[in-house]
Amino acid sequence: MLPTLKTLRNTFSPVSVRLITAMTLAAAMTGAADPLPAQRDGRGDWRLDYNDTQQRIQLTFENFDEHGGRSSTSFPVPLTSLEGLSISQLLGPTTPVRFSLKRDAGTFSFDGRAGSGWGRGVFGFRADPQFRDQLARRGYERPDTDEQFELALHDVGYSLVDELKAQGYRRPSIEGLITMGQHGARFDFIRALAQLGYKLGDTDKLVDLRDHGVTPSFAEGLRDQGHKGLSADDLVNARDHGVTPSFAEGFRQLGYTPSLSDLVRLRDHGVTVEFAKRARDRRGSNLALDELVRMRDRGDSY
C-alpha cells in the first residue's frame, strides 16, 4: 500500500552531510552594493530517493567543481517543500519532472525524471536579491554568491538569525552561519534547546553539541530520569561515554538513584543494567555501585 500524502507531509529531522568541496560559482562580487547575478553559473546534479521503510524523502545535491573535485550534501525533506512534485509523480511510473525548493536565500530549480520512489536530474540556483540586504539590516555582512548558495543549501534563513538574536547569542559571521547549517544546528534545534533551558550564548557551543550527538530529546530524556540542571558540557560528557536516557532509566527501575558521574563510571567499567540485575538476583538485594564496578573489573560473569 502506498503511503498517504499526510504521512509524507511530516517534517523530518534534518540530517546533513557536510559539503566536501565548493561548487563552481558565478564571478565574485565587486562591492557590497552590486546585485547578485540572477542565475548561479553552472549546474549540479540531484538525486531523490524515497525510503519506504522509513517513509522519508532524501534529497541529494551533487556536482563537479572547476577542479574536478566532487561535492555532495544530502538531507531529508518533506514532500510539501518540493513545489511541483506530487506523490503520484514520485511513486508512479517514471516521467519527466520539474519542481523547486524555496529557501530564504534563494530557490533551487530541478529538472529530470522521477518515479518508482526515485528521481535524478540537474538543478540550478536563483539567489534572492533581497536576502543580502535583509541580513545587512540584521547586522550581518552581505554574503557573496558562494556564501548565499551555501546558506540556501543548508537552510539558514531569517528564522535562525532572528532566533539567535532573541536568545541573546553573540552574532556569528556568515561563515559561522554556514557552519551551523552544515552541522545541523538550525532553528528547530536551537528553539528546542531553549525550551529546555539551554541558551548557550555562543553558536560554537551549539555546533559542538550537535557534533557530539546531543539532541533536545537526549537532554529531555536525562532530565526526565532525574538529571536536572545539567550543563552543556555534562550532556556532551554523557553522550561521549554512552550514557543514554534508557541506561539511566534501567538503573532507576532497579531502585538505584545514581548521579550522572555514577552512570558515566558504570558505563566506563562495563556495568550494564542486566549485570546489576543478575547480581541482585544472585545476592538477594541490590549491590552498592562501587561493588558492581569491582565485580565487573574482576571479570565476574553475573
Side-chain angles (χ1 to χ4, degrees):
M1 180 180 296
L2 294 179
T4 65
L5 181 57
K6 181 178 180 181
T7 299
L8 287 173
R9 280 177 175 166
N10 291 334
T11 300
F12 303 100
S13 301
V15 176
S16 178
V17 179
R18 188 175 183 178
L19 197 63
I20 302 172
T21 60
M23 301 180 72
T24 307
L25 298 170
M29 304 291 293
T30 59
D34 295 337
L36 282 170
Q39 183 72 33
R40 179 179 179 273
D41 287 346
R43 297 176 68 84
D45 301 321
W46 64 269
R47 298 198 326 266
L48 186 151
D49 297 281
Y50 175 64
N51 186 311
D52 185 55
T53 301
Q54 298 179 349
Q55 295 187 341
R56 183 174 74 177
I57 299 172
Q58 191 76 13
L59 180 62
T60 301
F61 293 77
E62 291 184 337
N63 78 294
F64 291 89
D65 66 24
E66 61 184 355
H67 304 293
R70 191 171 184 80
S71 61
S72 176
T73 191
S74 182
F75 42 79
V77 295
L79 179 64
T80 51
S81 70
L82 303 178
E83 298 180 11
L85 183 66
S86 69
I87 182 64
S88 60
Q89 288 173 306
L90 177 61
L91 299 179
T94 301
T95 58
V97 293
R98 177 173 293 179
F99 58 97
S100 63
L101 173 64
K102 189 177 186 305
R103 297 280 171 76
D104 287 343
T107 300
F108 295 95
S109 58
F110 304 86
D111 289 289
R113 297 177 64 80
S116 302
W118 66 270
R120 301 291 186 272
V122 295
F123 73 86
F125 175 67
R126 183 177 297 275
D128 185 330
Q130 302 300 318
F131 183 75
R132 302 168 71 238
D133 293 336
Q134 288 295 332
L135 285 189
R137 292 189 184 99
R138 289 165 167 82
Y140 289 85
E141 294 183 359
R142 288 177 170 83
D144 61 25
T145 52
D146 190 344
E147 292 167 336
Q148 187 158 344
F149 172 82
E150 292 206 34
L151 289 168
L153 185 67
H154 298 289
D155 199 15
V156 176
Y158 303 131
S159 62
L160 174 62
V161 298
D162 291 345
E163 188 68 17
L164 291 176
K165 180 179 179 180
Q167 291 191 27
Y169 279 86
R170 288 187 289 277
R171 186 186 301 124
S173 63
I174 294 297
E175 182 180 355
L177 287 175
I178 293 171
T179 297
M180 292 178 67
Q182 289 175 336
H183 290 255
R186 303 190 186 94
F187 169 78
D188 291 343
F189 179 75
I190 297 167
R191 172 66 67 85
L193 284 177
Q195 291 172 347
L196 294 172
Y198 294 97
K199 297 182 180 181
L200 307 179
D202 187 343
T203 57
D204 287 344
K205 293 181 180 179
L206 292 170
V207 172
D208 189 52
L209 286 179
R210 191 68 178 174
D211 285 351
H212 284 266
V214 175
T215 63
S217 61
F218 175 82
E220 185 177 18
L222 288 179
R223 183 199 64 184
D224 292 346
Q225 294 304 318
H227 302 281
K228 301 178 181 180
L230 298 179
S231 69
D233 289 340
D234 289 333
L235 294 174
V236 169
N237 186 50
R239 197 74 175 96
D240 287 350
H241 287 265
V243 174
T244 63
S246 61
F247 184 73
E249 181 182 15
F251 278 95
R252 184 179 61 80
Q253 289 181 346
L254 287 177
Y256 292 98
T257 56
S259 65
L260 183 63
S261 60
D262 288 332
L263 291 172
V264 168
R265 187 162 61 99
L266 292 170
R267 197 66 169 168
D268 287 350
H269 286 265
V271 178
T272 64
V273 174
E274 291 75 17
F275 180 85
K277 185 178 184 301
R278 290 196 299 270
R280 182 196 65 182
D281 292 345
R282 184 163 181 176
R283 296 287 187 92
S285 62
N286 278 337
L287 278 66
L289 296 179
D290 287 343
E291 180 61 20
L292 289 174
V293 169
R294 286 193 292 269
M295 291 170 61
R296 198 69 179 93
D297 287 349
R298 290 196 303 263
D300 291 353
S301 58
Y302 287 160

Coordinates of all heavy atoms in Angstrom, one line a residue, residues 63-124:
N63 N 27.8 17.6 -7.6 CA 28.3 18.3 -8.8 C 29.8 18.1 -8.9 O 30.4 17.5 -7.9 CB 28.0 19.8 -8.8 CG 28.9 20.5 -7.9 OD1 28.8 20.3 -6.7 ND2 29.7 21.4 -8.4
F64 N 30.4 18.6 -9.9 CA 31.9 18.6 -10.0 C 32.3 20.1 -10.1 O 31.8 20.8 -10.9 CB 32.4 17.8 -11.2 CG 32.1 16.4 -11.1 CD1 30.9 15.8 -11.5 CD2 33.1 15.6 -10.5 CE1 30.7 14.4 -11.4 CE2 32.9 14.2 -10.4 CZ 31.7 13.6 -10.8
D65 N 33.3 20.5 -9.3 CA 33.7 21.9 -9.3 C 34.7 22.0 -10.5 O 35.0 21.1 -11.2 CB 34.3 22.3 -8.0 CG 35.6 21.6 -7.6 OD1 36.3 21.0 -8.5 OD2 35.9 21.5 -6.4
E66 N 35.2 23.2 -10.6 CA 36.1 23.5 -11.7 C 37.4 22.7 -11.7 O 38.1 22.6 -12.7 CB 36.4 25.0 -11.8 CG 37.1 25.5 -10.5 CD 37.3 27.0 -10.6 OE1 37.0 27.6 -11.6 OE2 37.8 27.6 -9.6
H67 N 37.8 22.2 -10.6 CA 39.0 21.4 -10.5 C 38.7 19.9 -10.6 O 39.6 19.1 -10.4 CB 39.7 21.7 -9.2 CG 40.0 23.1 -9.0 ND1 40.9 23.8 -9.8 CD2 39.6 24.1 -8.1 CE1 41.0 25.1 -9.4 NE2 40.2 25.3 -8.4
G68 N 37.4 19.6 -10.8 CA 37.1 18.1 -10.9 C 36.8 17.5 -9.6 O 36.6 16.3 -9.6
G69 N 36.8 18.2 -8.5 CA 36.5 17.6 -7.2 C 35.0 17.4 -7.0 O 34.2 18.3 -7.4
R70 N 34.7 16.4 -6.4 CA 33.2 16.0 -6.2 C 32.7 16.6 -4.9 O 33.4 16.6 -3.9 CB 33.1 14.5 -6.2 CG 31.6 14.1 -6.3 CD 31.5 12.6 -6.5 NE 30.1 12.2 -6.7 CZ 29.5 12.2 -7.8 NH1 30.1 12.8 -8.9 NH2 28.2 11.8 -7.9
S71 N 31.5 17.2 -4.9 CA 30.9 17.7 -3.7 C 29.5 17.1 -3.6 O 28.9 16.8 -4.6 CB 30.9 19.3 -3.8 OG 30.1 19.7 -4.9
S72 N 29.1 17.0 -2.4 CA 27.8 16.3 -2.1 C 27.3 16.7 -0.8 O 28.0 16.9 0.2 CB 28.0 14.8 -2.2 OG 26.8 14.1 -1.9
T73 N 26.0 17.0 -0.7 CA 25.3 17.2 0.5 C 23.9 16.6 0.4 O 23.3 16.6 -0.7 CB 25.2 18.7 0.9 OG1 24.8 18.8 2.3 CG2 24.3 19.4 0.0
S74 N 23.4 16.0 1.5 CA 22.1 15.3 1.4 C 21.3 15.5 2.7 O 21.9 15.6 3.8 CB 22.4 13.8 1.2 OG 21.2 13.0 1.1
F75 N 20.0 15.6 2.6 CA 19.2 15.8 3.8 C 17.8 15.3 3.5 O 17.3 15.3 2.3 CB 19.2 17.3 4.2 CG 19.1 18.2 3.1 CD1 17.9 18.5 2.5 CD2 20.2 18.9 2.6 CE1 17.8 19.4 1.4 CE2 20.1 19.8 1.6 CZ 18.9 20.1 1.0
P76 N 17.0 15.0 4.5 CA 15.6 14.6 4.3 C 14.8 15.9 4.1 O 15.0 16.9 4.7 CB 15.2 13.9 5.6 CG 16.1 14.4 6.6 CD 17.4 14.8 5.9
V77 N 13.7 15.8 3.3 CA 12.8 16.9 3.1 C 11.4 16.4 3.1 O 11.1 15.2 2.7 CB 13.1 17.6 1.7 CG1 14.4 18.3 1.7 CG2 13.0 16.6 0.5
P78 N 10.4 17.2 3.5 CA 9.0 16.8 3.3 C 8.6 17.0 1.9 O 9.1 18.0 1.2 CB 8.3 17.8 4.3 CG 9.2 19.0 4.4 CD 10.6 18.5 4.2
L79 N 7.7 16.2 1.4 CA 7.2 16.4 0.0 C 6.6 17.7 -0.2 O 6.8 18.3 -1.3 CB 6.2 15.3 -0.2 CG 5.6 15.3 -1.7 CD1 6.6 15.0 -2.7 CD2 4.4 14.3 -1.8
T80 N 6.0 18.3 0.8 CA 5.3 19.6 0.6 C 6.3 20.7 0.3 O 5.9 21.8 -0.2 CB 4.5 20.0 1.8 OG1 5.3 19.9 3.0 CG2 3.3 19.1 2.0
S81 N 7.6 20.6 0.6 CA 8.6 21.6 0.4 C 9.1 21.6 -1.1 O 9.7 22.5 -1.6 CB 9.8 21.5 1.3 OG 10.5 20.3 1.0
L82 N 8.8 20.5 -1.8 CA 9.2 20.4 -3.2 C 8.0 20.8 -4.1 O 7.2 20.0 -4.5 CB 9.6 18.9 -3.5 CG 10.7 18.4 -2.6 CD1 11.0 16.9 -2.9 CD2 12.0 19.3 -2.7
E83 N 7.9 22.1 -4.4 CA 6.8 22.6 -5.2 C 6.8 22.1 -6.6 O 7.8 22.3 -7.3 CB 6.9 24.1 -5.1 CG 6.8 24.7 -3.7 CD 6.8 26.2 -3.7 OE1 6.8 26.9 -4.8 OE2 7.0 26.8 -2.6
G84 N 5.7 21.5 -7.0 CA 5.6 21.0 -8.4 C 5.8 19.5 -8.5 O 5.7 18.9 -9.6
L85 N 6.2 18.8 -7.4 CA 6.4 17.4 -7.4 C 5.2 16.8 -6.5 O 5.1 17.1 -5.4 CB 7.7 17.0 -6.8 CG 8.0 15.5 -6.8 CD1 8.2 15.0 -8.2 CD2 9.3 15.2 -6.0
S86 N 4.5 15.9 -7.1 CA 3.4 15.3 -6.5 C 3.7 13.8 -6.0 O 4.6 13.2 -6.5 CB 2.1 15.2 -7.4 OG 2.4 14.3 -8.5
I87 N 2.8 13.3 -5.2 CA 3.0 11.9 -4.7 C 2.8 10.9 -5.8 O 3.5 9.9 -5.9 CB 2.0 11.6 -3.5 CG1 2.2 10.2 -3.0 CG2 0.6 11.8 -4.0 CD1 3.6 10.0 -2.4
S88 N 2.0 11.3 -6.8 CA 1.8 10.3 -7.9 C 3.0 10.3 -8.8 O 3.3 9.3 -9.3 CB 0.5 10.7 -8.7 OG 0.6 12.1 -9.2
Q89 N 3.6 11.5 -9.0 CA 4.8 11.5 -9.8 C 6.0 10.8 -9.1 O 6.8 10.1 -9.7 CB 5.3 13.0 -10.0 CG 4.4 13.7 -11.0 CD 4.8 15.2 -11.1 OE1 4.8 15.9 -10.0 NE2 5.0 15.7 -12.3
L90 N 6.1 10.9 -7.8 CA 7.2 10.3 -7.0 C 7.0 8.8 -7.0 O 8.0 8.1 -7.1 CB 7.2 10.8 -5.6 CG 8.2 10.2 -4.7 CD1 9.6 10.5 -5.2 CD2 8.1 10.8 -3.3
L91 N 5.8 8.3 -6.8 CA 5.7 6.8 -6.6 C 5.1 6.1 -7.9 O 5.0 4.9 -7.9 CB 4.8 6.6 -5.4 CG 5.3 7.1 -4.1 CD1 4.3 6.8 -3.0 CD2 6.7 6.5 -3.8
G92 N 4.7 6.9 -8.9 CA 4.1 6.3 -10.1 C 5.2 5.9 -11.1 O 6.4 5.8 -10.8
P93 N 4.8 5.7 -12.3 CA 5.8 5.4 -13.4 C 6.7 6.5 -13.6 O 6.4 7.7 -13.3 CB 4.9 5.2 -14.6 CG 3.5 4.9 -14.1 CD 3.4 5.7 -12.8
T94 N 7.9 6.2 -14.1 CA 8.9 7.3 -14.3 C 8.5 8.2 -15.4 O 8.2 7.8 -16.5 CB 10.3 6.6 -14.6 OG1 10.7 5.8 -13.5 CG2 11.4 7.7 -14.8
T95 N 8.5 9.5 -15.1 CA 8.1 10.5 -16.0 C 9.0 11.8 -15.8 O 9.7 11.9 -14.8 CB 6.7 11.0 -15.8 OG1 6.5 11.5 -14.5 CG2 5.7 9.8 -16.0
P96 N 9.1 12.7 -16.8 CA 9.8 13.9 -16.7 C 9.2 14.8 -15.5 O 7.9 14.8 -15.4 CB 9.7 14.6 -18.0 CG 9.4 13.5 -19.0 CD 8.5 12.5 -18.2
V97 N 10.0 15.4 -14.8 CA 9.5 16.3 -13.7 C 10.3 17.6 -13.7 O 11.4 17.7 -14.1 CB 9.7 15.6 -12.3 CG1 8.8 14.4 -12.2 CG2 11.1 15.2 -12.0
R98 N 9.6 18.6 -13.1 CA 10.2 19.9 -12.9 C 9.6 20.5 -11.6 O 8.4 20.6 -11.5 CB 10.0 20.9 -14.1 CG 10.5 22.3 -13.8 CD 10.4 23.1 -15.1 NE 11.2 22.6 -16.2 CZ 11.2 23.1 -17.4 NH1 10.5 24.2 -17.7 NH2 12.0 22.6 -18.3
F99 N 10.5 20.7 -10.6 CA 10.0 21.2 -9.4 C 11.0 22.2 -8.7 O 12.1 22.4 -9.3 CB 9.6 20.1 -8.4 CG 10.8 19.1 -8.1 CD1 11.5 19.3 -7.0 CD2 11.1 18.1 -9.0 CE1 12.6 18.4 -6.7 CE2 12.2 17.2 -8.7 CZ 12.9 17.4 -7.6
S100 N 10.7 22.7 -7.6 CA 11.6 23.7 -6.9 C 11.6 23.6 -5.4 O 10.7 23.0 -4.8 CB 11.2 25.1 -7.3 OG 9.9 25.4 -6.8
L101 N 12.6 24.1 -4.8 CA 12.7 24.1 -3.4 C 13.1 25.5 -3.0 O 14.2 26.0 -3.3 CB 13.8 23.1 -2.9 CG 14.2 23.2 -1.4 CD1 13.0 22.8 -0.6 CD2 15.4 22.3 -1.2
K102 N 12.2 26.2 -2.3 CA 12.4 27.6 -1.9 C 13.0 27.8 -0.5 O 12.5 27.2 0.4 CB 11.1 28.4 -2.0 CG 11.3 29.9 -1.9 CD 10.0 30.6 -2.1 CE 10.2 32.2 -2.1 NZ 10.9 32.7 -1.0
R103 N 14.1 28.5 -0.4 CA 14.7 28.9 0.8 C 14.8 30.4 0.9 O 14.6 31.1 -0.1 CB 16.1 28.3 0.9 CG 16.1 26.7 0.9 CD 15.8 26.2 2.2 NE 15.6 24.8 2.3 CZ 16.5 23.8 2.3 NH1 17.7 24.1 2.1 NH2 16.2 22.6 2.5
D104 N 15.0 31.0 2.1 CA 15.1 32.4 2.2 C 16.2 33.0 1.4 O 16.0 34.1 0.8 CB 15.3 32.8 3.7 CG 14.1 32.6 4.6 OD1 13.0 32.5 4.0 OD2 14.3 32.5 5.8
A105 N 17.3 32.3 1.2 CA 18.4 32.8 0.5 C 18.3 32.7 -1.0 O 19.0 33.3 -1.8 CB 19.7 32.1 0.9
G106 N 17.3 31.8 -1.5 CA 17.2 31.6 -2.9 C 16.4 30.4 -3.2 O 16.0 29.6 -2.3
T107 N 16.2 30.1 -4.5 CA 15.4 29.0 -4.9 C 16.2 28.0 -5.8 O 16.8 28.5 -6.7 CB 14.1 29.5 -5.7 OG1 13.4 30.3 -4.8 CG2 13.3 28.3 -6.1
F108 N 16.1 26.7 -5.5 CA 16.6 25.7 -6.3 C 15.6 25.2 -7.3 O 14.4 24.9 -6.9 CB 17.1 24.5 -5.5 CG 18.3 24.9 -4.5 CD1 18.0 25.2 -3.2 CD2 19.6 24.9 -5.0 CE1 19.0 25.5 -2.4 CE2 20.6 25.2 -4.1 CZ 20.3 25.5 -2.8
S109 N 15.9 25.1 -8.6 CA 15.0 24.5 -9.6 C 15.6 23.2 -10.0 O 16.8 23.1 -10.3 CB 14.9 25.5 -10.7 OG 16.1 25.8 -11.3
F110 N 14.7 22.2 -10.2 CA 15.1 20.9 -10.5 C 14.5 20.4 -11.8 O 13.2 20.6 -12.0 CB 14.8 19.9 -9.4 CG 15.3 20.3 -8.1 CD1 14.6 21.1 -7.2 CD2 16.5 19.7 -7.6 CE1 15.1 21.5 -6.0 CE2 17.0 20.1 -6.4 CZ 16.3 20.9 -5.6
D111 N 15.2 19.8 -12.7 CA 14.7 19.2 -13.9 C 15.2 17.8 -14.0 O 16.4 17.5 -13.6 CB 15.2 20.0 -15.2 CG 14.5 21.3 -15.3 OD1 13.3 21.3 -15.6 OD2 15.2 22.3 -15.1
G112 N 14.4 16.9 -14.4 CA 14.9 15.5 -14.6 C 13.7 14.5 -14.7 O 12.7 14.8 -15.3
R113 N 13.9 13.3 -14.1 CA 12.9 12.3 -14.2 C 12.7 11.7 -12.8 O 13.7 11.6 -12.0 CB 13.3 11.2 -15.2 CG 13.4 11.7 -16.6 CD 13.9 10.6 -17.5 NE 13.0 9.5 -17.6 CZ 11.9 9.5 -18.4 NH1 11.6 10.6 -19.2 NH2 11.1 8.4 -18.5
A114 N 11.5 11.3 -12.5 CA 11.2 10.7 -11.2 C 10.1 9.7 -11.3 O 9.2 9.7 -12.3 CB 10.7 11.8 -10.2
G115 N 10.1 8.7 -10.4 CA 9.1 7.7 -10.4 C 9.6 6.5 -9.7 O 10.8 6.3 -9.5
S116 N 8.7 5.6 -9.2 CA 9.1 4.4 -8.5 C 9.9 4.7 -7.3 O 10.8 3.9 -6.9 CB 9.8 3.4 -9.5 OG 9.0 3.1 -10.6
G117 N 9.7 5.9 -6.7 CA 10.4 6.2 -5.4 C 11.8 6.8 -5.6 O 12.5 6.9 -4.6
W118 N 12.1 7.2 -6.8 CA 13.4 7.8 -7.0 C 13.3 8.9 -8.0 O 12.3 9.1 -8.7 CB 14.5 6.8 -7.5 CG 14.2 6.2 -8.8 CD1 13.4 5.1 -9.1 CD2 14.6 6.7 -10.1 NE1 13.4 4.9 -10.5 CE2 14.1 5.9 -11.1 CE3 15.4 7.8 -10.5 CZ2 14.3 6.1 -12.5 CZ3 15.7 8.1 -11.8 CH2 15.1 7.2 -12.8
G119 N 14.4 9.8 -8.1 CA 14.4 10.8 -9.1 C 15.9 11.2 -9.4 O 16.7 11.0 -8.5
R120 N 16.2 11.7 -10.6 CA 17.5 12.1 -11.0 C 17.4 13.2 -12.0 O 16.4 13.3 -12.7 CB 18.3 10.9 -11.7 CG 18.4 9.6 -10.8 CD 19.4 9.8 -9.6 NE 19.6 8.6 -9.0 CZ 18.8 8.1 -8.0 NH1 17.8 8.7 -7.6 NH2 19.1 6.9 -7.4
G121 N 18.4 14.1 -11.9 CA 18.4 15.2 -12.9 C 19.4 16.3 -12.6 O 20.5 16.0 -11.9
V122 N 19.2 17.5 -13.1 CA 20.1 18.6 -12.8 C 19.4 19.7 -12.1 O 18.1 19.8 -12.2 CB 20.7 19.1 -14.2 CG1 21.6 18.1 -14.8 CG2 19.6 19.6 -15.1
F123 N 20.1 20.6 -11.4 CA 19.5 21.7 -10.7 C 20.2 23.0 -11.0 O 21.4 23.0 -11.4 CB 19.4 21.4 -9.2 CG 20.8 21.5 -8.5 CD1 21.2 22.8 -8.1 CD2 21.6 20.4 -8.3 CE1 22.5 22.9 -7.4 CE2 22.8 20.5 -7.7 CZ 23.2 21.7 -7.2
G124 N 19.5 24.1 -10.8 CA 20.1 25.4 -10.8 C 19.7 26.2 -9.6 O 18.8 25.7 -8.9

